[in-house]
Each structure stands twice: as structure tokens, then as C-alpha cells.
Amino acid sequence: MKRFSFETTTHSAEETRAFGERLGRHITAGTTIALSGDLGSGKTVFVQGIARGLHVPAEYYITSPTFTLINEYPGRLRLHHIDLYRIEDPIEIEEIGVYEILGSDGVAVIEWAERLGAELPAQRICVHLEMPNDHARHMRITAAGSAAVAMLKNAVNIQ
Ligand SMILES: Nc1ncnc2c1ncn2[C@@H]1O[C@H](COP(=O)(O)OP(=O)(O)O)[C@@H](O)[C@H]1O
Ligand SMILES: [Mg+2]
């Protein structure tokens, strides 16, 4: 499968949002974006940027759906923001409807996506965030599959 990776470091939450927005502008229907990284690494901030890029109206303030597990927002494409942090048993992933979302033509953005294991779609964009210090966040974005590779290359202006 085609793959492409890109790495960058941001120095503020707004810079992370701006990067998420660039990706969000290029996302196409049915895309899965898997986010991983420790608590506080900026996953939710990144999703706020993706929402801007998908033209989710600004009156929706995006927070981690830690208790609700899934939040949905209207936009250029429907945004499903999923957080698997509180999942204790894999059966819950099925019960809350994650697989229906992954098969839909919206966009699924998943915090703690590694909890999906082998159920994570093979064609996807993975974003791994690390915290070198209080203000810096290092991001490694990997696209798998030709559509995802094209999206990421468009977002970072590499042809
Ligand atoms: N460069 C940066 N990018 C993103 N967030 C940052 C950055 N520097 C500091 N922060 C702060 O880190 C926190 C990230 O929180 P959040 O996005 O909720 O993390 P997560 O969802 O991964 O648990 C926020 O309080 C944000 O202001
Ligand atoms: Mg979060």
C-alpha cells in the first residue's frame, strides 16, 4: 500500500490548530484519522483545527468527548469526533457505533485510536503527537493508501 509520512513541530496550541486546519481542508468523504499520544499532547487541539478546515461552524466548541465517547458536528463533511480513552471492553466500541461511522461517508477522527487494534481501517491518516516540552508538540503524520497519501501531500504542499 502507498505510504507517505510528514513530521513537524509546533510551538503553540494555535499553531497545532492551524496545521490541523490545513489537513481538514483537504479531507475527503469517508476518511479515518487516527490520533495517538499521551494525555495533553494536543489531540483535541488538533481536532479543533480539523473542524475549522471542514467548516464546522465556529459556535461549536470542540472538547474531548471523554464521557460521551462520540460527538458529531455538521460541516463540509460530517465530523465524528471519537475518544476511546474510557473504553474498558472492546465490545463497547461496537456498542457505541464506531464501525457504522467508519463505514459512513463522514469523517472519523479518533483519539486513542490504537485501542481499535486490527479494526482500524488500513487506509487512514495516523497522527502521533509527542511533547518535547511545555509548548512544543512534535507530530508525525503517516498516510496509508493512495487517497490518504494524496490528501496529506496536498495539505503539506508536496506533489
Ligand atoms: N504546541 C502545542 N500544540 C497543542 N497544544 C499545546 C501546545 N503547546 C501547549 N499546548 C497545550 O497542551 C494542551 C493539549 O490538550 P489536548 O488537546 O486536550 O490534549 P489531548 O487531547 O491529547 O489530551 C492544551 O492545554 C494546549 O493549550
Ligand atoms: Mg483529548
Side-chain angles (χ1 to χ4, degrees):
M1 195 180 323
K2 256 193 181 179
R3 278 178 196 276
F4 172 71
S5 288
F6 181 82
E7 292 188 46
T8 188
T9 300
T10 63
H11 298 90
S12 69
E14 183 48 34
E15 211 185 310
T16 298
R17 260 180 227 113
F19 188 72
E21 181 175 359
R22 275 168 68 186
L23 184 62
R25 276 194 223 120
H26 292 92
I27 292 174
T28 57
T31 299
T32 300
I33 301 185
L35 304 178
S36 59
D38 290 341
L39 272 180
S41 61
K43 299 181 293 298
T44 299
V45 166
F46 193 83
V47 180
Q48 291 168 348
I50 288 176
R52 286 203 312 221
L54 286 171
H55 301 144
V56 172
E59 63 256 32
Y60 292 97
Y61 183 70
I62 292 177
T63 55
S64 247
T66 302
F67 295 100
T68 52
L69 306 176
I70 302 179
N71 285 339
E72 282 188 45
Y73 304 95
R76 177 172 68 73
L77 298 165
R78 193 154 190 85
L79 171 61
H80 305 268
H81 181 194
I82 303 168
D83 188 336
L84 301 179
Y85 185 63
R86 304 248 162 216
I87 292 287
E88 276 160 17
D89 185 325
I91 197 82
E92 290 174 58
I93 295 177
E94 192 178 342
E95 283 168 2
I96 63 175
V98 172
Y99 299 125
E100 282 82 357
I101 291 171
L102 293 176
S104 80
D105 56 6
V107 175
V109 181
I110 312 166
E111 299 192 34
W112 300 93
E114 60 271 33
R115 309 227 162 143
L116 276 174
E119 304 294 337
L120 189 64
Q123 309 216 11
R124 66 198 179 212
I125 294 177
C126 291
V127 182
H128 182 69
L129 295 105
E130 285 179 5
M131 300 183 262
N133 63 50
D134 278 1
H135 299 292
R137 297 293 185 271
H138 183 262
M139 273 158 248
R140 183 179 172 84
I141 303 116
T142 304
S146 48
V149 165
M151 267 176 253
L152 180 55
K153 286 187 170 176
N154 285 333
V156 299
N157 263 309
I158 294 172
Q159 305 320 313

